[in-house]
Amino acid sequence: MSAEPALRVEDLHKSFGDHEVLRGIDLSVAEHEVICLIGASGSGKSTFLRCINLIEPIDVGRIFVGGREITADGVNVSQFRRGIGIVFQAYNLFPHMTVLENVTLAPRKARKVDRADAERQGLELLGRFGLAQRRDEYPDRLSGGQQQRVAIVRALAMQPQLMLLDEVTSALDPELVAEVLNVIRELAEGGMTMVIATHEMSFAADIANRVCFLDDGVLLEEGPPEQIFRSPANPRTQEFLQRIIAAGRL
């Protein structure tokens, strides 16, 4: 592992108007580590991911990627974003482009990869995740699970060092969830550094090196999955997980 963490967040604050959504988040993520963020809806998980990628400007705090501060004055944020893949609940695929065109657009435009190389690399990724036969399809011809897999492949096509995944199964029918989770599991087994916001507790328990519980914009507790899910120390974490268990989701 690198001496520097892949990601380090220090005292991150973010407000929307008078509502403080993130209230002093500190997090360090080692290279190849998989972090799962859990917590109730509205706890700040999605906003936190969007702040890491600076899609949302932060109010207070510092963010370091690979040892370099991306929140420092004068930093070319667009350049750093190329190394951070992010996938949202909504697939955000371009409906007028084929699967392969969606996957190759960013490498061609942002990394200046020529079309032939971009298509070759794109087809390799699509094949890896069982989508090569869909290369010429348009998004509206794909299932939700297939669209979400294409969205993940599109992010991977930029060869990111860090992947941020924001509730990527929330919009899917239950029978489609497994195919997307299998893609994420394969990425984890391949050593991809990931921060994942998820409501899939069993998946988090299976895949995460560390689970972080967010509540009302504060990172209340973090630790290995077996510690967080079996013997959480914080009363609020205990209450949250009791509700999850009662609902049959863990």
Side-chain angles (χ1 to χ4, degrees):
M1 286 192 180
S2 168
E4 288 285 350
L7 171 69
R8 187 167 85 253
V9 178
E10 298 179 352
D11 193 31
L12 178 59
H13 291 253
K14 174 65 182 179
S15 296
F16 294 101
D18 294 331
H19 179 45
E20 192 172 18
V21 178
L22 301 176
R23 302 186 292 142
I25 301 288
D26 294 292
L27 181 68
S28 182
V29 181
E31 188 176 353
H32 309 308
E33 191 173 19
V34 177
I35 302 293
C36 281
L37 307 176
I38 66 170
S41 296
S43 60
K45 303 185 301 297
S46 295
T47 299
F48 182 51
L49 292 183
R50 294 172 71 88
C51 285
I52 291 173
N53 203 38
L54 299 181
I55 295 172
E56 291 289 354
I58 68 172
D59 298 327
V60 177
R62 305 168 77 193
I63 300 173
F64 298 81
V65 176
R68 297 184 63 187
E69 185 182 356
I70 66 174
T71 46
D73 291 339
V75 166
N76 185 337
V77 173
S78 295
Q79 181 179 0
F80 273 101
R81 280 202 189 114
R82 296 171 192 169
I84 306 174
I86 186 164
V87 183
F88 302 101
Q89 297 177 36
Y91 321 125
N92 295 327
L93 300 175
F94 294 111
H96 63 290
M97 293 183 176
T98 66
V99 165
L100 186 58
E101 288 169 342
N102 267 281
V103 169
T104 59
L105 179 65
R108 290 174 49 221
K109 298 298 184 181
R111 292 179 44 230
K112 308 303 181 186
V113 178
D114 68 57
R115 182 184 294 272
D117 285 342
E119 289 185 352
R120 176 181 54 77
Q121 294 165 12
L123 284 171
E124 287 177 1
L125 283 170
L126 290 170
R128 176 179 167 188
F129 296 114
L131 293 163
Q133 74 278 13
R134 302 292 186 178
R135 56 176 288 177
D136 296 321
E137 298 277 8
Y138 289 90
D140 64 357
R141 300 294 300 273
L142 305 178
S143 70
Q146 289 168 338
Q147 290 186 59
Q148 192 62 285
R149 280 189 284 155
V150 172
I152 294 171
V153 168
R154 181 175 60 179
L156 291 174
M158 286 294 287
Q159 300 179 2
Q161 289 78 53
L162 171 66
M163 283 283 285
L164 310 174
L165 303 172
D166 182 18
E167 302 285 9
V168 294
T169 61
S170 292
L172 299 178
D173 293 334
E175 65 267 24
L176 301 176
V177 169
E179 65 183 70
V180 175
L181 296 183
N182 285 338
V183 169
I184 300 171
R185 182 177 285 106
E186 181 174 332
L187 293 178
E189 292 171 351
M192 176 63 73
T193 307
M194 290 188 285
V195 182
I196 305 169
T198 185
H199 288 302
E200 302 286 344
M201 298 299 156
S202 296
F203 180 71
D206 179 53
I207 195 174
N209 300 112
R210 194 157 30 114
V211 174
C212 299
F213 174 63
L214 270 68
D215 183 61
D216 195 23
V218 176
L219 203 170
L220 283 186
E221 188 168 0
E222 61 180 290
E226 59 270 20
Q227 173 193 325
I228 297 298
F229 290 123
R230 294 181 183 176
S231 55
N234 190 287
R236 180 68 187 95
T237 315
Q238 296 170 8
E239 178 188 3
F240 171 76
L241 290 174
Q242 285 169 2
R243 291 179 179 175
I244 293 295
I245 291 169
R249 291 167 51 199
L250 180 64

